[in-house]
Amino acid sequence: MLRKITAAKLDQLFEAISGKQTLYIPTDREDGAAEFRKYESGMKLSNALNTVRSAKDFFFPQTENLVAFKMEGKKIEVKDIRKECEDFVIFGVRACDARSFDILDKVYLVDPVDSFYKNRRDHGTVVTMACTRPAETCFCTAFGINPTMPGGDVTAFPVGDGFFFMANTEKGEKFLADIDDLLEDGDLSRLADVQENTRNILKKLPLANLSTDSFGGDKLNELFNSDKWAGLSESCIGCGTCTFVCPTCQCYDIKDFNTGDGIVRFRCWDSCMYSDFTQMAHGNPRVSQLERFRQRFMHKLVYIPANNNGEFGCVGCGRCLQKCPISMNIVKVMKALEVK
Amino acid sequence: MQEAMIKRAKELLADGTVDRVMGWKKGEFSYDHTPAVFTSAQELDENFVCDDFTSANLSKYLVKETVRDGKILAFLKPCDTYSFNQLVKEYRIDREKVYVIGIPGGPKLDIEKIRAKGITGILNIRNENYTLKIETIYGVSEMPFYEAIGVKCESCKSKKHVVYDELIGEDGEVLDSNRFDMVEKLENMTSQERYDFWRSELSKCIRCNACRTVCPACTCEKCVFENPDSGIENKAAADSFEENMFHIIRAFHVAGRCTDCGECSRVCPENIPLHLLNRKFIKDINSLYGTYQAGENTTDKAPLNEYKMDDCEASIVHERGAE
Amino acid sequence: MNTNDTLIPLLGIVTDIRQDTPDVKTFRVVAPEGGKVFEHMPGQCAMLSIPGVGEAMFSITSSPTNTEFMEFSIKKCGCLTNWLHQMDVGQMITIRGPYGNAFPVETELKGKNLLFVAGGIGLAPLRSVINYVRDNRSNYGNVRIVYGSRSKNDLVDYQEIIDEWMKDEGIEVNLTIDNPQEGWDGHVGFVPDYVKELNPSTDSTVLVCGPPVMIKFTLAGLKELGFEETQVYTTMELRMKCGVGKCGRCNIGDKYVCKDGPVFRYDELSELPDEY
Amino acid sequence: MQVNNNNEFQPLIVAFCCNWCSYAGADLSGTNRLNYPTNVKIIRVPCSCRVNPMFILRAFQRGADGVILCGCHPGDCHYTSGNYFTRRRMTLLFSMLDFLGIERDRTRVEWVSAAEGAKFAATMNEFTEAVRKLGPNRRLEDLRCRKQ
Amino acid sequence: MQRIGVFVCHCGTNIAATVDVKAVAEALGHEPGVVISQDYQYMCSESGQYLIKDAVKEHSLTGIVVCSCSPRMHENTFRKAAAAAGLNPYLVEIANIREQCSWIHKEIATATEKAIILGRAAVAKVHLNAPLTAGESPVVKRALVIGGGIAGIQTALDIAEAGFEVDIVEKEPTIGGKMAQIDKTFPTLDCAACILTPKMVECAQNDKITIHSFSEIADVKGFVGNFTVTIKKKARFVDETKCTGCGLCTEKCPMKKVPNEFNMGLDNRTAVYIPFAQAVPKVAAIDPDYCLMLKNGKCGVCSKVCSVGAIDYKQTDKFVEEKYGAIVVATGFNPIKIDKYEEFAYNQSPDVVTSLELERLMNAAGPNGGTLLRPSDKKHPHTIVFVQCVGSRCDDENGKPYCSKICCMYTAKHAMLIREKYPDTEVYVFYIDVRTPGKNFDEFYRRAVEQYGVHYIKGMVGKVTPKSDGKLDVQAADLLANEQLHIDADMVVLAAAIEPDKSARPLATMLTTQMDTNDFFTEAHPKLRPVESATAGIFLSGACQGPKDIPETVAQASAAAAKAIGLLCKNSITCNPCVASSDELMCNGCSSCEKVCPYGAITYIDKEFRMPDKTTRIRRVASVNPAVCQGCGACTVACPSGAMDLSGFSNSQIMAEVDAICK
């Protein structure tokens, strides 16, 4: 059974949730872009399709401290600085970002489990938001994502005057139970209309027919050795924009910082586009931007499917299409490498 | 314009003057063009584009391109010619290996400005008498051309090409721009206000390094931020200090060398007005040491590499400004 | 939090440091409370670190049959290894692992004749296997070791080779150095050539480790001698940070060296893109 | 930042002094027993022009509350021109720090000759007091380095 | 692993009184890499140095930190000690816990805390020190002596004697300085001119010595062994090479009312003049402030009478650039201006004179031909009052805090000479203390009192009032008799304090040498290096370093000469190995460093490199000439990529210091 909240009560809802745990919602910034922010009274839910940074930050933050060391003479003391994460809610995650959590899970929750990631995952409740107004840069459907049924612990479906909620997990049911007094029963037929409408728009999207047929774990060598990479990568400037806005990019670096009082070992996002990503004391297996560029797309379109039963490492959110400084992106790569 | 460029490029390829052409390649949509090197007439005909969205500065690519053999044709907008000159001056580009065709500049548009109006599902954009007709899957939208101009073109410093082998179209003049207005506005704020402003801006930084990698002045063989021995190597701003430091050092390293091409702000995925930091240095240099435009020529000494006996003291910073 | 996380390292104390060659030292590591920090299988690696200096993956040189300590033979080549080379006995280090797969000593290699081919510091990972085999001698057939280095001084574990391996029955040790040297009456020449010269019988399983060039030519030579790719194992080294296949940098194609490797059978490796 | 026994804020001042003039000037103020606060810690550099903006930022990162750079008077540089470059670099750097909202009184350049022991001491007294008034550096510190 | 030794010096009580040296040694012993940390009474002493040497051997040290006085003082001492023990001298760092800690702080707790931090910074730095090898730089075998008084003359003569060329730069038209103005010298009472002028002549005649009279120092560049000095030769409007010093022009010059500096303005000279008869060089000069020709373009008498055509009204200041290996400063002293001491009526009565004026009044070449007459009425004075310590040992801003050292003795000399020549003259000397240390000094003073009957009165003159009868009413206190005195004096002689010459301060700036608050040049060490400045290659001679009498001045002059000779004897000196170098792999070839290098030490070369992708590329990279580089470090900051670094003061070393200080 679906429960509904009217748009007028949304503020009340946010107040209720944020009263108990930290709530993050996408909200509009002064520059017009949207970002997830910790909810404070008066904050408005953004109408934007997506945030600049993806929701992966909540489970895999850009930097996080792993462990601390105290050094004295020849002695080292290891300090476990992990703390149990507090419960939090991310409200308004789109289908693409929601899928990205599955992809991250396959990296971080497989043995040996990454306790830092798992800690956040265990304590986070994901409330997804069904899409109604996809952009031309959207191509999640190419990866089998249904933006009208985005998953997560709870799904919110926008319908004209409010939102329907559907619990998908136990955590989601608890979430809804906690706010039940704000909810009312909804008219289900409205939802079907909205979903149908979205489905019709999705069909009209310019990237609706993007095909993944030419990709997958079994295409490894032919794709790796394709002669298209040189042309595709020639204008890549080697920044990390695509990787940092990408909801599924999960590579990290581990570094030590000397605070003057001891060493803090932290990890931070890294980008396979960077020239020092694979730099070793002696030599570098990927010296050219071509190799680095290829790695990123091979990873998403070949290596991840090879290790995950064919599931791709891209969710079609379109962020890299919007943010690449030189407008090179996975769609252009896929179209160039496509076997027609 | 685009046709004239293609025509001329084909001629220069055909007569052997150049063996490559640096330009922009058509994208998936009407606005996402990519800098590209063309080597044949066919490629030029099929993919070469020059329109309201070809705002990327091509000059930095020539650092890499001129290491190769042969000569390359580069289409440079007026602002790009300054970057080009600066790179020639710093021995980063071999001038002999580039055939420069100056093309008229912007204003170029920024798709983000259109998106910020809530326009989405964009299929096609047409400029009709400086009104943009934007065809989307949700219907046709309109907006004034000038509201979609990219940050880097909002206050153009010059329509003049400072270097070229030939021109397509007319050469323009150095403009009396209002480019320091925002810097001045910030200068007039209180220290706390400025601090708050920059904290809210710089805390958005995701350290993607796009501003640095795109910057034509940032061509170091190895950036200090990537050099473990530099003492300031960092990959992600782990602390607000590092956010500040990265942007201070980035701007300081290009102080007196930055031509104000605006690429840093154009590419910033978080829309941080990074050009303001560069402009602050330019403004200070102009007012304290005399007007200086990096890239204007290849001979003037950079302001940080020279001095006058009667330069002002650093205490001028303490003496002026609000509060 | 009471769960362990592999990224949070354990401590080890360096109890002995041996200068093997001018740029290789072997470090003996035990847990602060004594004994080994953890158990491992031959070919597996561990992440060693001096906090604030660096962390890097090293193969465990000692055999799992050694119950008292672990050893690491480390060549000086970067910031961390320089530091390790400068430290004194008694220094604590952090250690985590074991990482990666191992040579299939208990499966495919069991009962086989073994041919070890090593060059320079490449002996380090093989030493673990060799000593494992020596300690479980009955489980394996003939053992032959072909080991070479630039010069006599660059032969890692030379003393152990002479004092123990060469004296063992059923183990044939063939040493070679690149160029003639005073006081060396053994073979002179490159390892791949020496292997061909020795013409080992093709009924053995080969374990190769050394510089990429050596591996490449050894493999070509072995093929000439009639060996199949499926008979040859090697171990890889790439930049690693996490050690558990998550940080995303040590992959060759879809295989992560730290997790799926470092030991690869040659036929697996040749299916992967040439990116190492 | 440090706090003394009385829980008073004790600013940490890093002073970069050129070897030829200002460091000698500091020595002279010692020879003449001219007091200045212990808060000031001097780092000797060959010339003020050796001071990289990175060093100044580093000091703030690590907990300095004020950074002062002392060199020979303009025209007196042991290396003829080093301090002229310093003057431009630091003017621009300080202006940028000010632009970012970092309190401008946390940074200073002062010319102190080898003969100006008294000036050195007076400058350090005055600068320390100025920084003390500003309170701890909070706008350009690295929280990871903050003393517990 | 680094093995660092820390040595904390007590410096007697200089450090130990305010810094708990044991606590410093203890604390630094816990720093990473420190294997030995100890304290000692005097680290710079031989046994202190042995401590270091033994520790280097015993603990196989890889670095040394000495917490002691300023590195400007003993860095070299400790470097040598390290080198003697086989450790590279550049693996030594000094933590300055004396000048920059114990001497300026009072509270032991905070001073100790600071000393620990300074020591920690040095330890952090020494971790990153690299062994450096010094190159060599040639020594220019020529010395410059600035100032041509007795100090400069003696120094120049000694250096010339040793066979080196030496130039004297004197701002006056003649050398000779103050001694040339003095009548007799204490305690022997021999004639100053008789002992000085032969030395002046010797200077003129010695072909190793070049005198640049009427000249000043305009600029000094370079460093020990290789200074480049610009000398400004002021226009004297007389061609030095032609003038024979015949003096005809001075006789004929119509402008005769120019106050004569040599006689302290007590008489006049002409506009074209030779300062005094024994001037060296004996060459006339025209005073442009008074010369009618130069002022109004009318006259030209001197030009007409000069038989050799030496007069040149068009002469301008000339700048000469010379290279020197060593520089000796001998800028001397002047009596202070006593105009502000109104109580002594110096400006009201011509009969109140300074001691130096009295010298001229008594001198045979002086205004009165050697007869002591009072200036006002040229009458013989019967009562003369000497006032001591005018401006010396004085706390107010008109005077000097120090003792001028020479006044007690010259006053005794004056009193004695007057009493001898004019026994009818009563001489009173008012003093605070009479200070007569020195060989035969006290005997000399006692002779004045006992043999010559000079009235020494302990007390200060309160007021001198000119009376209508031309006498001076001297109002004073006799402290021993505890009574007020009034003396009707014919003359009052004031022993004015002496101060360094005004040219000294700008010169110190050019030489980058230290001065104290009174503008005396500071010696490198007050006991052990009294004639050297802290700046290598610059030596101090005479009263520019502090008040001195003639014997002391001459002794110091010879000592300074000896030091300069010691330097000039070397063919080369070891250069500073702390020079810049570029990491070619990181260098962009942008030329920023080249543009800021003041020495032109950086050039660019095209060099072939093997790139990481295994291709080869020719790249433009910076290359530093270590012999030319002086190690300022300007290039290191100009370099955006950080390819340029400076040995001894590397980026990582300085940042390690910053970190340690801010820890």
Side-chain angles (χ1 to χ4, degrees), chain E residues 329-351:
Chain E
V329 183
T331 46
F333 73 95
N334 276 310
I336 61 164
K337 290 231 181 312
I338 51 172
D339 307 8
K340 293 206 171 130
Y341 289 93
E342 285 170 12
E343 64 267 37
F344 299 128
Y346 178 73
N347 288 336
Q348 294 160 45
S349 167
D351 297 335

Side-chain angles (χ1 to χ4, degrees), chain B residues 91-122:
Chain B
Y91 305 91
R92 304 298 285 161
I93 286 180
D94 185 347
R95 176 72 183 86
E96 297 304 309
K97 286 183 171 175
V98 189
Y99 189 88
V100 178
I101 296 188
I103 55 166
K108 300 286 181 186
L109 303 182
D110 181 357
I111 188 68
E112 294 284 314
K113 289 276 188 85
I114 298 172
R115 290 203 178 106
K117 294 269 177 195
I119 299 170
T120 186
I122 300 162

